[in-house]
Amino acid sequence: MSKSQARSGQRRRDILQAALACFIEHGVEGTTIEMIRDRSGASIGSLYHHFGNKERIASTLFLQGLQDFSQALLQRLSEAGDARAGIQAMVDSYIDWVSANPDWARFILQTRGQVIHGEAADKLTAANREQFQKLRAWLSPHVASGTLKNLPLELYRPLIIGPVQDYTRAWLAGRVPHGPDRYRDVFATAAWQAVGANTAFKPASESP
Amino acid sequence: MSKSQARSGQRRRDILQAALACFIEHGVEGTTIEMIRDRSGASIGSLYHHFGNKERIASTLFLQGLQDFSQALLQRLSEAGDARAGIQAMVDSYIDWVSANPDWARFILQTRGQVIHGEAADKLTAANREQFQKLRAWLSPHVASGTLKNLPLELYRPLIIGPVQDYTRAWLAGRVPHGPDRYRDVFATAAWQAVGANTAFKPASESP
Amino acid sequence: MSKSQARSGQRRRDILQAALACFIEHGVEGTTIEMIRDRSGASIGSLYHHFGNKERIASTLFLQGLQDFSQALLQRLSEAGDARAGIQAMVDSYIDWVSANPDWARFILQTRGQVIHGEAADKLTAANREQFQKLRAWLSPHVASGTLKNLPLELYRPLIIGPVQDYTRAWLAGRVPHGPDRYRDVFATAAWQAVGANTAFKPASESP
Amino acid sequence: MSKSQARSGQRRRDILQAALACFIEHGVEGTTIEMIRDRSGASIGSLYHHFGNKERIASTLFLQGLQDFSQALLQRLSEAGDARAGIQAMVDSYIDWVSANPDWARFILQTRGQVIHGEAADKLTAANREQFQKLRAWLSPHVASGTLKNLPLELYRPLIIGPVQDYTRAWLAGRVPHGPDRYRDVFATAAWQAVGANTAFKPASESP
DNA sequence: AATGAATGAGCCTTCATTCAT
DNA sequence: GATGAATGAAGGCTCATTCAT
């Protein structure tokens, strides 16, 4: 049984990996089951035995990606000493995960809209909510202690991740040559300036 | 003739508007010609008479949107007095256009990937290039004069627009309740701190 | 337009006729769209343009058959002079319609179950109800006047049509060699004895 | 062995019962092996171990039903004292079996067509032939002695069972509220009048 | 310019059946 | 006897596009 389960698990993984390659190359809708079958070596029946339909392959890939990134982020965050280090950890986690998994990242960045309206919408909402709670739990004390600005909650993510994410989109689309790790500090600094309670952000009053 | 052309122009506009609604609701691939026919009131033959195929409807919508936004942006930019005002103008243009055309914005944000690989790819590249040149023309003097940081060119857009764009995506997807205009100044300030040559972008304690 | 409509109507009729032949030969489920396409000469797209799906072809055929028979029956019934002639008309109508349309009859007798549970269920119920009302309207006066037995309404149909229908099933299935018209009078007499108010159905008291 | 056989026999029975429920609910063709697996609790492999394929499950159910009913009928018939009692026994057997096994009856009434053309066709023919012989053996003496009308053999069944069968179909389909047992005597009387050699089957006024 | 019936390649999915464990 | 992953042929249906009117 354990042997057969191992095989079965491998089959699943093969299918997911093949599907990811196809999805990036042709988009989810542009990918046919036949393409995934070709690339994975699995039979059509096996694809359906394991996932039920094409959408479920895509949403599995999407949700696993979210979770994988989320784990990495929360791990690094928990190791961060102070608020500044935490912001740096967020930017670094993003850059590192995206650099290590460019295909997966490309897929997630392009597919969110379809998963939102698909049958896995609930799972996605739940995953988002959970990550949001954990981030809030990290932010709150720093806001309370005055090391982070007190902003509406929905602004932290855009201010911290917005720039690096926009740059990453451009990189993944081939519009810029260098990966985001080249500008690691630029993005982290911008993020810190946007949300950190550094008193220096109004230079006029600061340099008498 | 002018009468008939007027009617024809109306037909085109009806089709584009109906298509936009369908594309947002079902995605471009998920939208069938039949749906657009239904919503626009035009016949199938008419759709093909005016646009040739479905992709051309989508790319027309996309490129017109880009151009419409670009015009507004460049207009406001040309009226900006100094660098700080220019940065403000960029953020404001983005917020204003998105707020005035939420559906169009949603469509453009979701469809770029498909237009890039379609037959209108060249037009898109040309349009992008043109806008990029004009922005660079605006930036250069300010960088030269030291009012803007001297950064690699590919970083300005992410740093200026990244946060407001990420927030806008969340708003258009219904994940946050308030439109981006509520946080106009937050985004503009963050953008300015990221690219403006204020001397305070490194903590005072670090430069003795 | 009228020309095109005529062609279109012909196409519909060709499809229905081809489908009927296929359904009888292989059953509705056993018939593939490809078979109907083959036999009708229409394209797959045309099949779907006209009927939407296979089930709708079957239910159209079914409902039209019911209606065709119903019309013939009610016509003959309206011409019947007295109760005995009416019963005869019912049996004769059944036999004549079945003899004239053996394929259609075979189809209807075999397909009711599937139509009942399909999307045309409501139409079927409505058609049944309508015919039932009309038959009741014919029966009532004769029951009131004492020329027909006063039985629960749901018994007339089985008593009148039951025998000839059971025989017809056997004939259509090839289990008996002769058509039901050979025993026209046997069935009509049995029906009359079952529902007619002849006082002779208890011989013991009648032959002193 | 006997223990394991008992278990196995139970498994077979579970499968048949589950299959019957599925067949009624979705039809034989509409029922998938997966549905039967679900409902019976058996594994797919087990289904195939016991029956070989789906059709064999259906034909087993069908032939067992026929046999079960046939036994009951012949038993009652052998106990009937005279012709009238025999006719009554036929109608009663039908009503009683159908009332005791409504699902099974529904299945048989709906499935005959498919079994006829399947691999169990020969078995069905043989079973029909055997029952027919036995019924003929019962009828013959009564026809010879003049207590039953001398009719073509193929007419007895329709005349005797036709009405109650038609009524039963309506009841099993939910179109009439009361079971056939409510009208036991109506059906038996009609049958007797149709095939019994009572002299009154032509109106008295016609034989002066 | 408008219409909509016709086309048919192509895709997703189902499902009976097999077979190694 | 039991299990369930694997198989792949087959079929229903969609939909962009064409074209005669």
Side-chain angles (χ1 to χ4, degrees), chain B residues 8 11 43 45-46 50:
Chain B
S8 151
R11 198 20 73 94
S43 67
S46 196
H50 285 296

Side-chain angles (χ1 to χ4, degrees), chain B:
Chain B
M1 269 301 165
S2 75
K3 204 173 171 185
S4 127
Q5 276 190 344
R7 262 209 309 267
S8 151
Q10 190 52 46
R11 198 20 73 94
R12 266 183 73 93
R13 256 168 277 131
D14 290 346
I15 292 171
L16 286 173
Q17 187 168 327
L20 178 57
C22 292
F23 289 159
I24 287 164
E25 206 166 311
H26 307 101
V28 174
E29 310 236 25
T31 295
T32 69
I33 291 289
E34 175 64 16
M35 291 175 190
I36 303 176
R37 190 199 60 70
D38 236 32
R39 208 155 183 153
S40 66
S43 67
I44 291 183
S46 196
L47 292 179
Y48 278 88
H49 178 76
H50 285 296
F51 292 96
N53 63 36
K54 188 172 74 165
E55 188 184 348
R56 233 113 74 193
I57 302 179
S59 62
T60 299
L61 226 25
F62 188 90
L63 291 170
Q64 278 190 6
L66 272 199
Q67 194 185 11
D68 194 67
F69 168 63
S70 189
Q71 274 183 351
L73 169 62
L74 294 170
Q75 171 65 27
R76 299 269 284 264
L77 207 51
S78 73
E79 296 165 2
D82 59 8
R84 178 65 176 83
I87 298 302
Q88 184 79 40
M90 289 189 202
V91 172
D92 282 343
S93 298
Y94 191 92
I95 290 174
D96 291 341
W97 193 83
V98 155
S99 301
N101 307 281
D103 283 345
W104 216 350
R106 204 175 271 122
F107 172 72
I108 288 176
L109 250 13
Q110 284 171 4
T111 311
R112 178 166 274 132
Q114 288 161 71
V115 177
I116 283 174
H117 297 108
E119 61 179 28
D122 290 349
K123 288 186 184 176
L124 173 56
T125 304
N128 277 337
R129 200 183 307 276
E130 191 190 334
Q131 205 210 20
F132 184 73
Q133 305 292 357
K134 291 184 175 167
L135 283 178
R136 193 165 60 170
W138 180 85
L139 286 170
S140 293
H142 294 292
V143 172
S145 72
T147 46
L148 286 180
K149 284 182 194 147
N150 187 8
L151 295 167
L153 275 174
E154 66 247 40
L155 286 180
Y156 290 102
R157 209 194 87 111
L159 291 172
I160 297 168
I161 294 298
V164 67
Q165 182 169 99
D166 190 61
Y167 184 87
T168 296
R169 281 182 197 271
W171 174 58
L172 291 172
R175 291 199 302 270
V176 298
H178 305 298
D181 59 307
R182 188 186 184 100
Y183 303 119
R184 203 176 277 273
D185 293 332
V186 176
F187 293 124
T189 301
W192 175 246
Q193 293 209 291
V195 302
N198 41 54
T199 53
F201 81 102
K202 287 188 180 178
S205 62
E206 292 214 20
S207 51

Side-chain angles (χ1 to χ4, degrees), chain C residues 24 26 29-30 109-110 112-114 116-117 128 149 151-152 154-155 157-159 161-167 169 173 175-178 182-183 186-187 189-190 192-194 198 200-203 206-207, chain D residues 24-26 29-30 109-110 112-114 116-117 128 149 151-152 154-155 157-159 161-167 169 173 175-178 182-183 186-187 189-190 193-194 198-204:
Chain C
I24 287 162
H26 307 100
E29 310 236 25
L109 250 13
Q110 284 170 5
R112 178 167 274 132
Q114 288 162 70
I116 284 174
H117 295 108
N128 277 338
K149 285 183 193 145
L151 295 166
E154 66 247 41
L155 286 179
R157 207 194 89 111
L159 291 171
I161 294 299
V164 67
Q165 181 169 100
D166 191 61
Y167 184 86
R169 280 182 198 272
R175 292 200 302 271
V176 299
H178 306 297
R182 187 186 184 103
Y183 304 118
V186 176
F187 293 125
T189 301
W192 176 246
Q193 298 219 134
N198 40 47
F201 82 104
K202 285 186 181 173
E206 289 263 330
S207 53
Chain D
I24 287 165
E25 206 166 310
H26 307 101
E29 309 236 25
L109 249 15
Q110 285 171 3
R112 176 165 277 132
Q114 288 161 73
I116 283 173
H117 297 108
N128 277 338
K149 284 181 194 146
L151 294 165
E154 66 247 39
L155 287 178
R157 210 194 86 112
L159 290 171
I161 295 299
V164 67
Q165 182 169 99
D166 190 63
Y167 184 86
R169 282 182 197 271
R175 291 198 304 270
V176 298
H178 306 297
R182 187 185 183 103
Y183 303 119
V186 176
F187 294 124
T189 301
Q193 293 208 292
N198 42 55
T199 53
F201 82 103
K202 287 189 179 176

